[in-house]
Amino acid sequence: MPAGTPQWAIQSWMLLKADLLALLNRQAIALDTGAAALAFSKESPKSIEYAGPFARWTGFVGVSTNQVEVAGQILTQMMSELPSYDLVDQAEILSAWIWTRRQGGAAVRSG
């Protein structure tokens, strides 16, 4: 990317690139790309419009690197702010939170 590209644009591009690589069954490269995207801001996305992909890759990377607890904390914080996200991102955050908790062995209960 050109010098001076905003960090939110770089992170967003990397999250979408990770999604595409995963769809192409290039899991190892997808995880590396997702991890690199998260390195721009470990606790929240640089752009609220990419909260869903950020949550998804937080879960995937956290589970693959045995950092489920850290990923769970980030996703729990995002869950506490759920109404601030659009509906698609809300669904992705909820899905990432449930999947990550299950991968870590936590029970998931409704209401």
Side-chain angles (χ1 to χ4, degrees):
M1 298 204 113
T5 301
Q7 286 193 346
W8 69 264
I10 296 169
Q11 183 183 52
S12 302
W13 177 79
M14 292 177 79
L15 290 167
L16 296 177
K17 180 180 176 182
D19 282 344
L20 181 59
L21 288 164
L23 287 170
L24 294 171
N25 203 29
R26 307 280 310 269
Q27 299 304 329
I29 298 171
L31 280 168
D32 288 345
T33 303
L38 298 178
F40 280 94
S41 58
K42 296 192 186 286
E43 296 180 14
S44 62
K46 288 286 186 185
S47 172
I48 195 169
E49 285 82 12
Y50 288 88
F54 180 89
R56 180 172 50 253
W57 285 101
T58 294
F60 290 160
V61 171
V63 168
S64 72
T65 60
N66 294 318
Q67 295 187 18
V68 175
E69 187 174 326
V70 173
Q73 291 170 354
I74 293 167
L75 293 170
T76 297
Q77 178 62 37
M78 293 180 82
M79 287 287 293
S80 74
E81 302 164 350
L82 205 58
S84 68
Y85 302 108
D86 68 38
L87 291 177
V88 172
D89 285 330
Q90 287 181 26
E92 289 182 294
I93 292 164
L94 178 59
S95 178
W97 181 78
I98 290 170
W99 183 83
T100 302
R101 286 182 54 85
R102 285 188 177 159
Q103 295 303 306
V108 179
R109 302 176 201 270
S110 62

